[in-house]
Structure formats: structure tokens, C-alpha cells
Amino acid sequence: MQPDLVIKKINLKTLITFFAFLFLFIMFFLIYSIFQIGIEEFSIFHRVRFIMINTVYLFFQNLIYLAAFLFATLFSLVIKDRDYLSASDNLVFSQMIQRSLILLFLLIGIYFIGSEFINPLLYNQLETGRKNAAISKILKQEGNHYFQKSDFELSRLYYEQYLNLMPQDVEVKDRLRQLRLKVRLMEDTEESYNNNFPVNTDYIELAGYYDQKGEYITAWYYYQYVVENDSVRRSFAIKRIEEIKNILAYRNSLKNNQEKMAWLNSTEQLIRNIHQLRVDADQYVQTKQYHEAYYTFSKIMKLDKNIKDAAIGYEKMHFQLKKIGVEMKNIVSSQVFSGKKDFVFYLDNKTMLYFADIKKILDIETVTQTYYVKDISIYFFDENKRIEKIVYAPYGQFKNNFMLTLYTLSLTDQEIEYLPLLKQCNKNDFDENVLAYLNKQDQMKLVEFYENDQNYYYLKSNVSKKDLMVVGKYFQKAKYNFFNQIPTMINQIDFVNLVFNQEGNTVENILNQNSILSNSEVNLLKSNYTMQKNGQYLLNHEIDEKTREKIWKIFQKSELNIFPHILNFNINIDLLYNFSYNYQKALNFPLNRLFSLRNLSGYQINNDLNEMDFSYGFNNNFIKTAIMDKISLIFIFFYMNIFFIAFSWRNKAHFQKNIPFLYQLFYPIILLFVFLIITGIKYYNTTFYSILSYSLDFWILLITCIVINLLLSIAAILYLSSTKIKNI
């Protein structure tokens, strides 16, 4: 047979084998993706999209195995002796592998384009799809739950957000259409009821409004409020209360006198209870105990739903609690999402944060990304790197990328309220800044939860979740400064009325008045807080640690609650989460993106918050390793397939006719061998550069990587060039 005909025949077999393997590879990943759908929870609307994206993603990610299986099979089994022996004297091996080399370079190009441009996008779509699937499931469940409870407004809200993610769900669309009609009817009814409702909070006017509507018990409450708080209009309110009593007595004229008096007395007691609850609620608001205020307003509304200012207070407290804390319901809901375990990073060289679990999810109400964290431990070190104290909280949430709240509460169960506490603390700090601000009884109860030696207090290991809530309350009562933070900005009312316990508009007005603070303490605050044009008092940032500690002591002494459970820091949690110790995710970043991150090597915050340095933020060696890995994989793709071409040909079985069936049974072993070789090389490559990244500069490491891979490529080429058609 002529050499040209032999080469054409071999080229045809090469192409047929290539397309056969390409088809089988795509089908394998398609079936694998379908199988994965059964493991991960996706709605029917997400499944087709997930299967398509995941199949393409896995294809590009594993293209090196396709090439290796292809060439190992082609040159060991597909090209038989009879295909070339008749013209072997006039052929060289390079002629036989021309088409294979073209395919190899084509596959390398496809692999590079896929890994640098396509797979990063597909990976993000897969992650987004997984999150959207989980979120849409929760949204639909919540919508169904509130629909069954006839809470149509909340049900409508959840269904609308669900349809933003799942616009194909016709069933929910129809239900939402019905809900909107019901909500509109309810709004029209409420609007007609409230057309004449007073827009201000003048209690005489409110009382008169309910008086005219015949809501006499509510009117009585508002008149009673005027009696207690307005000396000018007290006599009018008392007179009107007596008239309301007579009206109510007339309405109950069928009762005997004893029953009538008992009913009026119980009603009067109800009014006094509501009034006392309102006084308590106002006090809680003033001292920023929003959780207690929320439930106090809730109790008022249960006693009389018509008291609108209680409903307004209830909504305001709801807003404040959402602002400063995290709801337990959201913590529980977040558990269905995947996240990261054992997340560790440094805030600075003396402060380390540990999260046992952190999850990034979409906040259903704000429709923004947020982070929920679990089992938070914040380690503070002294100059000798010894642990000075450990602050612990069971749960937390990032309110923005630079603010973490460690306050967890429930809006349905008043007993659930988690606050940060000390897991370990040196004895002096604990005695002087915690116990000293508690009464004797509270001191005794708190120390029951701790073991102590001469130097430290340690939280007992058997403390239950319920006891953690109790312990946290003691630290709240002591106003302990967990993070050595003081308010950077205070509003004028708080600064004057609460800190100094006096009425007035400026600091100067109270200097000569009686105050709970001494003149030196007042002057210290005056010298470190500057009043702004908007009335806020702004902290002078250049203050030393001793001054900071003195100012905190003043806040402990005052009635001001400054939320010590909120931790502010200057590391963007988004950046940390996306690049912290997630090596697989790093490999899905394009090389140009990884190169831009290679110099993250020291923690400093410049005036521009976008300019960040991370020597304490996280160890960046994994980024350097990922860069070397991605570069090496291109070379590995080349030289390993060159090696497999030559090795498979040199060790092929020689049969003039078909390969015996017994030999064909060993074919899966060939593929397994190829798979293990490629996987082992990749693993060794990652380990090798990971070790070198600790000791070599980036550019030296990069040059080393390129030189080593060039040498291995040259060795593979020499091995291939020495291969002959007849190797036996």
C-alpha cells in the first residue's frame, strides 16, 4: 500500500476515534449532571438549565482526560499493525501522528479558552443557580405558609420575590393575581376606616377621634394618658372619662350594680395596665432596649388593637431590631444553604476571628447578599501573642460588608435573645469591667457559669444554649466593652440627655448644672467629640488607648446603651469570603484576575477603602499556587499527551488482525492507569508549588514554574522524536 494511502487511513481512524470520544465524553457528563440533579434540590424550572451548564462546565474542566484517553486508545488499540506494516519502510512516525498533533493543539486551545473565559462564567452561574434554587424553595414555602394563615400581604410579598427567580411558575402567578385582588380590597376597607384618623399624636385629638367613633375604651385610654401627662388639659380629660364611664354603665344596664361596678373596675384596671405598659415601652425606647420595647408594644396591641401609636411604636421597634440584630428565623432558614466551615482570618496582628460556619445568601426582605455566621469566637492577643480574652457569640450577621452584629433575637418568642459574652478573660479585666458593674446577687449568679484560676476566668464547657442567653444578659447589664470600641457618632439628644442626664441643647449648657458625671469627665467628652452641622457629635479619631478606655468608662456610668454587640472593622467580608482558602474556586478565576491579586501581602487600610493589603487578613500563598497551577496545567496538557502518544505506541499489542477478546477486557485498566497518572501529576504539581510559595518570591516562583515545565515539555518531545514505527 502506498504511504499516502496509509496516512489517509490512519488520519480517518484518528478523526473517527476523536469524534467518538467527544460524543461519549459529552454523554457521560450529561448523564452525570442528570444524576447530580437527584442529589441537589432543584425545582423543575432550574433542572434543564443546570444540566446544560454543568455538562459544559465539566467538559471544559476535564478536557485533559479526554485527550489522554483518546491518544492512549488510538495508539495502543485503534491503529493496528495491518494499517501501516505494508508501507512501514517508507514511513516515519511523525507522519503518522500529524493529525493527532493538530488535534492536540486544538484541544489545548479549547482548554485554555474554556478555563480562562467560559468556565469562570459557568461556575458563577452554577453557584447562583444553586442559591436561587434554595432561595426559591424557601420563598414558595413561606408564601404558602402565610397564605394558609390568611396573612395575604406577607404571602403576596414572598410570592412576588419567588416569581422574580421563578417567572415560569404559572400556578404561583395565578395565586398571586388572586392575592393582589384580596390585598387591594383590604386596603380599600382600611383606607375608608382611616380617612378621618388624626395625622399627629395629640392625645386629646386621638381621644376625641375614638370618642366620636364609639371606641370608648380606646378613648378612655388616651384621656387617661392626658390625665397623667398634661396638667393643662387634665380637668377636661377627667370630666370626659367620667362621661365615658356613664356611657359604658348605660350600655351594661342589664347587669346588676355589683356586676356593673366589677366590670367598670376591671376596665379601669385594664386602662391603667395599658398606660403602665406604655410608660415601660417609652422607657425601653429611651434606653435603647428595643427587644423589650417591641414586646411591650405587642402586649398593648393585644389588649387594645385600636391604639395606633402603640402600633407605630411596634413597627419602629421592628425596624430597629432588624437594623441592629439578626432574627433567629433567618438563622434557621440559612442552614439549608451551603457555605464554608472553620473560616479564620485576622482583623489585625492582635485580633483573630473564627467562624465555625459562614453562609452567603440572598436576604429575602432586602434582596441583597448577606452573610450569616455561626459559633463566632474572637481572639484577642497580648504583646507576647498569648490569648488575652475570647469573645463568643452563637450567631451573627453582617449588616454590611464592614459591620458584624452578634445580637440574635426572635420576633415570635421573647425568651430567645442571644448576646455576646466572654468565653475566656483575664481576671483583672473580668473583675474591674464586668463584676464591678453588677450587684452582688448578679455577680454570684454570673460566676457560677465560669471556672477561674489566679489569672483567668473560663466559661464552663457544659453551659447550655439557654444558659448562654442568661450569661449574655449579665454582660449587657454591665455594659462590657467587648471590642474596645466607643461610639464614633452620637446624636444630640443622646449626648446631652442620656450621657449627662440633663435637658439642654449643647454641652456648654450643662457644665454648670448637676450631672451624673464629674466636670473632668464632661470636659473629656467635650474635648473628644465635636458637634457637626447636622447636630451629631463626631468622635475625634486620633485618640490613644487610655483615652478610649476612659471614655468607655463614662458610657458605662451613663444611661446610654451603645450596642457593644456590633463589631466594626475595615476588612471587606466579600473579599475575604471569595478568596479565602477556597482553592477550587481560585482555579475557576481567570489568570489575569489571579495575577491582579498576587500582591495581597499585608494588612493596611489606606484612605481609599479599595486599596487593601492583607498580611493579617489571610494567607495569600494559595493565590500564588493557583497561578502556578493554571500555567502548569497548560504544559501538563501538552507534555503528558505527547508522552502518552509515544508510550502507548511503544507498548502497544501487535496483532495482524483483530485484538483478542481477552486483551480487550484489559482496556478499562488502561483508562484507569491514564486517569491515575494525570490526577497524580496534577496533585503533585499543586503540592510542589504550594510548598515553594512559602519560600520563593512570586516572580522567582513564576520563572521556576515556566523553566520546569519547559524542561518537561522538551523531555516529552525528545521521547516522542525517538519513537519509531517499529519498536519491536
Side-chain angles (χ1 to χ4, degrees):
M1 188 181 292
Q2 294 297 320
D4 291 345
L5 294 176
V6 170
I7 292 172
K8 283 183 179 179
K9 185 177 181 181
I10 291 172
N11 286 347
L12 180 62
K13 280 196 167 188
T14 300
L15 289 175
I16 291 172
T17 308
F18 168 71
F19 284 112
F21 268 85
L22 185 64
F23 174 77
L24 290 172
F25 239 61
I26 293 173
M27 290 304 297
F28 173 80
F29 289 124
L30 182 64
I31 294 168
Y32 179 81
S33 297
I34 293 171
F35 174 76
Q36 204 170 354
I37 282 287
I39 299 174
E40 302 191 35
E41 292 190 4
F42 287 93
S43 68
I44 191 169
F45 305 108
H46 284 103
R47 288 176 183 174
V48 175
R49 180 174 172 80
F50 172 82
I51 290 169
M52 292 173 60
I53 293 173
N54 198 53
T55 300
V56 177
Y57 173 77
L58 291 173
F59 172 77
F60 283 118
Q61 190 181 46
N62 295 283
L63 202 55
I64 188 171
Y65 294 105
L66 168 63
F69 292 165
L70 168 66
F71 296 126
T73 304
L74 182 65
F75 289 98
S76 64
L77 297 175
V78 176
I79 299 176
K80 299 181 175 62
D81 291 354
R82 67 170 180 264
D83 295 329
Y84 63 88
L85 282 178
S86 60
S88 60
D89 293 335
N90 299 317
L91 284 175
V92 292
F93 190 61
S94 60
Q95 291 177 291
M96 294 179 62
I97 63 171
Q98 283 179 358
R99 191 58 53 88
S100 296
L101 291 177
I102 292 171
L103 287 175
L104 175 59
F105 285 113
L106 175 66
L107 290 172
I108 290 173
I110 293 172
Y111 175 77
F112 178 78
I113 293 170
S115 63
E116 291 302 302
F117 304 105
I118 300 175
N119 264 14
L121 297 176
L122 296 180
Y123 180 83
N124 288 333
Q125 289 181 28
L126 287 171
E127 289 294 295
T128 303
R130 288 186 174 96
K131 290 173 183 174
N132 287 348
I135 291 168
S136 62
K137 181 181 177 183
I138 293 172
L139 287 171
K140 189 173 182 179
Q141 287 175 346
E142 291 293 310
N144 292 340
H145 170 71
Y146 286 110
F147 182 81
Q148 290 170 2
K149 291 178 65 176
S150 298
D151 192 336
F152 301 127
E153 178 60 34
L154 267 178
S155 182
R156 179 183 65 84
L157 177 65
Y158 281 110
Y159 281 144
E160 284 176 345
Q161 293 174 1
Y162 168 77
L163 286 174
N164 287 335
L165 300 174
M166 304 293 297
Q168 311 95 324
D169 197 329
V170 178
E171 181 186 348
V172 173
K173 277 185 177 179
D174 290 339
R175 180 171 287 185
L176 180 61
R177 196 177 298 113
Q178 297 171 20
L179 278 173
R180 283 172 175 162
L181 289 173
K182 288 182 179 180
V183 170
R184 182 58 189 164
L185 287 172
M186 291 167 63
E187 287 175 349
D188 290 343
T189 304
E190 183 71 17
E191 185 179 348
S192 65
Y193 181 80
N194 289 324
N195 271 338
N196 300 315
F197 188 79
V199 295
N200 56 36
T201 54
D202 186 311
Y203 286 95
I204 280 290
E205 190 173 345
L206 287 170
Y209 168 76
Y210 284 108
D211 204 346
Q212 289 178 355
K213 288 185 67 63
E215 300 283 354
Y216 294 115
I217 294 178
T218 305
W220 185 351
Y221 160 75
Y222 281 116
Y223 283 128
Q224 187 65 40
Y225 195 93
V226 173
V227 170
E228 301 285 346
N229 297 279
D230 189 342
S231 58
V232 175
R233 295 182 287 187
R234 180 179 292 128
S235 58
F236 171 78
I238 291 172
K239 179 182 177 182
R240 191 57 195 149
I241 287 172
E242 292 303 318
E243 291 172 354
I244 287 174
K245 286 182 180 180
N246 291 333
I247 292 171
L248 292 174
Y250 177 76
R251 282 188 171 184
N252 290 271
S253 57
L254 294 178
K255 296 178 181 179
N256 59 46
N257 288 336
Q258 187 177 356
E259 290 175 337
K260 196 182 300 182
M261 288 302 299
W263 184 85
L264 284 173
N265 289 336
S266 65
T267 303
E268 187 169 2
Q269 185 59 47
L270 172 66
I271 299 300
R272 293 191 178 279
N273 289 342
I274 293 174
H275 177 72
Q276 185 57 51
L277 285 171
R278 180 56 197 273
V279 171
D280 294 341
D282 290 342
Q283 182 63 33
Y284 287 138
V285 173
Q286 188 179 18
T287 56
K288 292 184 169 59
Q289 298 180 68
Y290 297 135
H291 193 243
E292 286 75 10
Y294 173 85
Y295 278 100
T296 305
F297 281 124
S298 177
K299 290 174 183 176
I300 295 173
M301 291 167 64
K302 287 177 181 177
L303 293 174
D304 188 343
K305 64 180 181 180
N306 291 321
I307 300 178
K308 293 290 184 180
D309 49 328
I312 293 169
Y314 176 85
E315 290 300 324
K316 286 182 177 178
M317 294 307 99
H318 188 197
F319 173 78
Q320 287 292 344
L321 289 171
K322 293 274 188 182
K323 186 177 176 182
I324 64 170
V326 53
E327 192 177 352
M328 193 67 205
K329 182 185 75 172
N330 294 338
I331 293 287
V332 173
S333 297
S334 71
Q335 299 308 304
V336 302
F337 297 94
S338 60
K340 297 182 181 179
K341 306 287 186 184
D342 301 320
F343 190 86
V344 184
F345 63 92
Y346 280 81
L347 285 175
D348 53 47
N349 58 356
K350 290 185 178 179
T351 312
M352 182 183 80
L353 264 70
Y354 167 80
F355 304 145
D357 191 21
I358 178 170
K359 301 175 188 294
K360 180 180 181 180
I361 68 170
L362 182 71
D363 188 298
I364 293 171
E365 294 185 1
T366 61
V367 199
T368 56
Q369 293 291 343
T370 187
Y371 293 90
Y372 291 103
V373 290
K374 188 177 177 182
D375 288 332
I376 306 115
S377 293
I378 305 171
Y379 295 78
F380 294 87
F381 302 98
D382 61 17
E383 298 294 338
N384 298 316
K385 298 297 181 184
R386 290 177 301 195
I387 296 175
E388 198 170 58
K389 68 179 178 182
I390 303 173
V391 177
Y392 174 79
Y395 311 103
Q397 181 194 11
F398 280 86
K399 289 301 179 180
N400 57 50
N401 286 349
F402 299 94
M403 187 177 84
L404 170 67
T405 178
L406 302 180
Y407 175 42
T408 305
L409 61 121
S410 172
L411 295 177
T412 56
D413 186 346
Q414 189 173 0
E415 298 301 317
I416 297 178
E417 188 179 21
Y418 290 101
L419 292 150
L421 52 90
L422 287 175
K423 199 172 185 178
Q424 177 180 324
C425 182
N426 71 65
K427 203 168 186 304
N428 289 338
D429 186 10
F430 200 88
D431 290 341
E432 294 175 8
N433 296 312
V434 181
L435 298 181
Y437 291 90
L438 298 174
N439 59 45
K440 290 291 184 183
Q441 186 178 2
D442 288 342
Q443 289 177 11
M444 292 173 64
K445 289 181 179 178
L446 178 59
V447 295
E448 287 178 2
F449 296 102
Y450 285 84
E451 298 172 350
N452 67 86
D453 55 26
Q454 292 182 347
N455 300 313
Y456 287 94
Y457 280 90
Y458 304 93
L459 186 69
K460 292 179 180 178
S461 58
N462 60 350
V463 174
S464 66
K465 281 287 180 72
K466 187 175 181 180
D467 289 336
L468 287 176
M469 290 189 278
V470 175
V471 175
K473 289 288 182 69
Y474 288 122
F475 285 96
Q476 182 187 43
K477 193 178 289 187
K479 297 183 182 177
Y480 180 74
N481 187 8
F482 290 101
F483 311 121
N484 199 25
Q485 295 179 160
I486 55 177
T488 55
M489 186 174 287
I490 310 174
N491 67 60
Q492 190 174 20
I493 295 174
D494 281 347
F495 197 75
V496 176
N497 293 347
L498 294 179
V499 174
F500 303 105
N501 202 24
Q502 296 290 325
E503 293 185 359
N505 295 320
T506 63
V507 176
E508 287 77 4
N509 288 349
I510 56 88
L511 287 178
N512 297 320
Q513 299 176 10
N514 293 326
S515 172
I516 61 173
L517 305 180
S518 66
N519 284 342
S520 62
E521 289 172 328
V522 171
N523 288 327
L524 179 65
L525 288 172
K526 180 183 174 184
S527 62
N528 285 287
Y529 282 91
T530 305
M531 187 175 179
Q532 306 298 298
K533 291 181 180 179
N534 61 2
Q536 302 279 347
Y537 280 85
L538 185 66
L539 176 69
N540 303 330
H541 287 282
E542 296 181 1
I543 60 174
D544 56 42
E545 289 299 317
K546 288 186 177 179
T547 305
R548 186 179 293 273
E549 190 173 339
K550 287 179 181 177
I551 292 174
W552 177 261
K553 294 286 187 184
I554 294 173
F555 287 127
Q556 277 187 308
K557 186 177 178 181
S558 75
E559 295 297 321
L560 183 63
N561 185 338
I562 62 165
F563 311 126
H565 51 265
I566 292 177
L567 174 61
N568 296 291
F569 53 92
N570 290 324
I571 298 179
N572 189 323
I573 187 61
D574 254 344
L575 197 56
L576 285 174
Y577 186 85
N578 288 336
F579 296 102
S580 59
Y581 306 108
N582 191 335
Y583 190 70
Q584 184 58 46
K585 190 165 186 176
L587 287 179
N588 282 302
F589 277 85
L591 270 171
N592 65 325
R593 184 87 177 270
L594 290 173
F595 266 95
S596 69
L597 297 169
R598 70 183 185 278
N599 291 323
L600 298 180
S601 58
Y603 171 74
Q604 291 177 353
I605 303 297
N606 302 321
N607 292 331
D608 183 359
L609 287 177
N610 293 319
E611 297 178 24
M612 293 192 179
D613 226 348
F614 282 90
S615 65
Y616 305 122
F618 58 83
N619 185 325
N620 68 303
N621 287 321
F622 81 102
I623 296 177
K624 292 160 65 176
T625 306
I627 292 172
M628 305 310 144
D629 234 359
K630 295 204 75 172
I631 292 171
S632 296
L633 282 171
I634 304 296
F635 284 98
I636 290 171
F637 203 124
F638 173 73
Y639 67 70
M640 285 307 299
N641 280 293
I642 292 291
F643 168 78
F644 280 125
I645 290 172
F647 183 80
S648 299
W649 184 260
R650 287 171 181 245
N651 295 278
K652 73 188 296 292
H654 295 276
F655 297 98
Q656 287 291 334
K657 297 182 180 180
N658 293 330
I659 299 171
F661 178 74
L662 184 62
Y663 281 76
Q664 294 180 26
L665 293 177
F666 286 96
Y667 177 64
I669 297 176
I670 295 174
L671 297 184
L672 179 63
F673 171 76
V674 171
F675 175 80
L676 292 175
I677 290 291
I678 294 288
T679 305
I681 291 292
K682 289 169 66 177
Y683 178 79
Y684 172 78
N685 184 77
T686 303
T687 306
F688 178 72
Y689 290 112
S690 179
I691 293 170
L692 286 183
S693 66
Y694 282 91
S695 54
L696 295 182
D697 175 73
F698 173 78
W699 292 110
I700 296 175
L701 184 63
L702 180 62
I703 293 169
T704 302
C705 171
I706 294 172
V707 169
I708 290 173
N709 282 291
L710 282 173
L711 290 174
L712 290 171
S713 299
I714 292 169
I717 292 170
L718 291 174
Y719 182 62
L720 179 67
S721 62
S722 65
T723 304
K724 298 177 181 180
I725 290 180
K726 293 182 179 180
N727 288 292
I728 56 173

